[in-house]
Amino acid sequence: IVLARIFVAGLGCVAITWGLATLPIFWRQASMEYVARKIIRGEPYKIDVLMRQMPVMEAVENSTNCRPIAFWSVAIVRLRMVEEAGRNNTGKPGDAQQIKLLDNWIRRSLSCSPAEPFLWLALYWAERAQNGFKLEHYKYLKMSYQLGPNEGWIVLKRNSIALADSDRLPADLAADAINEFVALLKDGLYQQAVENFSRSEWWVQDTILPYLAPLPQRIRETFAKAVYDQGLDVTIPGVKTPNSKPPWR
């Protein structure tokens, strides 16, 4: 009985020691996850604020354990760091070394959590930024659509990327991008839809327009007002165009 009590007490001490040693790690990782989730909600972060997460990210990256949430959080933060670097560098997507690090980390994260649709989207973006448009990379975008067809925040991120590339995409992926755009309107996400539409080339816009015809009149009219307010010279199916439109196109 005495030996059993000593054994149990020893286990308790080990558990307490382990908890004291690992609690700060989990606390820091929880802080990084909090930042990542705020990023995907669209909250802005400057580079200097994101850089404060570097010690935590490096600790996760140096770990040999597979921790899907921690890996996912690192990918989110690293991607935002690359995007912010691009905004500070005349719109370019960040320097080659940063993107390469991001690419390597995404691949490692996918080896830990291969069913994460955002990571496949991020891999497609990173490969495109590094190597341009190559047919073998479209499979990454396809995996994102297959694994997360309706996940709201991924849709918001993915649709702008996919529409920008739609004239280069295989027919099935181009259709996915257009159907996803229509879904944004159905869900009332007009601001994002208008931004994606206005950033698209005119031939992409012309491809999208016939897909709007089946939408309810209210949706088409709301979307039309928004695009006309931006001065876009397009004809929304079933909606009267303004009397005065810009002379371009």
Side-chain angles (χ1 to χ4, degrees):
I1 296 176
V2 174
L3 289 176
R5 289 178 177 175
I6 293 174
F7 177 74
V8 171
L11 286 179
C13 291
V14 170
I16 292 172
T17 302
W18 179 86
L20 292 174
T22 58
L23 184 59
I25 297 174
F26 287 116
W27 179 261
R28 290 194 297 269
Q29 290 180 6
S31 173
M32 182 177 63
E33 181 186 347
Y34 174 76
V35 171
R37 293 194 181 280
K38 291 186 73 173
I39 287 173
I40 66 175
R41 289 199 297 267
E43 298 192 27
Y45 277 91
K46 294 183 178 180
I47 283 286
D48 58 340
V49 177
L50 297 174
M51 287 297 294
R52 297 172 193 167
Q53 297 296 319
M54 283 301 298
V56 186
M57 290 194 294
E58 290 173 352
V60 173
E61 291 169 343
N62 292 330
S63 172
T64 58
N65 298 324
C66 173
R67 296 194 294 273
I69 292 297
F71 282 21
W72 175 86
S73 299
V74 170
I76 297 281
V77 175
R78 277 207 175 276
L79 177 59
R80 176 53 61 87
M81 291 175 72
V82 170
E83 290 175 333
E84 286 299 318
R87 291 189 182 97
N88 297 332
N89 189 30
T90 65
K92 297 180 182 178
D95 64 59
Q97 183 62 27
Q98 284 182 313
I99 298 174
K100 182 63 177 176
L101 288 172
L102 174 64
D103 188 292
N104 291 339
W105 179 251
I106 292 169
R107 291 180 181 276
R108 184 181 169 194
S109 300
L110 282 169
S111 69
C112 174
S113 181
E116 173 50 60
F118 170 78
L119 294 179
W120 288 107
L121 174 64
L123 182 59
Y124 172 74
W125 183 91
E127 287 292 341
R128 186 191 67 167
Q130 292 180 104
N131 304 306
F133 301 95
K134 294 188 176 181
L135 187 60
E136 61 265 29
H137 298 152
Y138 296 141
K139 61 187 177 185
Y140 306 141
L141 182 60
K142 189 177 186 69
M143 285 294 293
S144 179
Y145 274 112
Q146 289 178 344
L147 294 170
N150 301 309
E151 294 188 33
W153 71 272
I154 296 177
V155 167
L156 294 176
K157 188 77 174 178
R158 182 173 59 208
N159 190 244
S160 61
I161 295 173
L163 281 183
D165 297 349
S166 60
D167 60 327
R168 302 177 177 91
L169 294 177
D172 59 335
L173 280 176
D176 286 339
I178 294 173
N179 290 330
E180 187 172 62
F181 175 83
V182 173
L184 290 177
L185 291 176
K186 289 180 178 178
D187 291 340
L189 299 172
Y190 295 105
Q191 180 179 353
Q192 187 65 46
V194 171
E195 289 177 2
N196 293 354
F197 186 82
S198 62
R199 292 171 184 165
S200 300
E201 300 289 348
W202 68 265
W203 57 84
V204 177
Q205 296 176 0
D206 284 352
T207 302
I208 290 172
L209 291 173
Y211 287 82
L212 306 184
L215 292 175
Q217 184 72 16
R218 174 185 55 82
I219 291 178
R220 283 179 282 131
E221 289 178 350
T222 302
F223 178 67
K225 182 180 185 307
V227 296
Y228 294 150
D229 285 346
Q230 292 201 7
L232 294 178
D233 180 16
V234 296
T235 300
I236 308 299
V239 179
K240 184 179 180 180
T241 58
N243 293 328
S244 176
K245 298 190 298 184
W248 61 83
R249 281 276 292 281

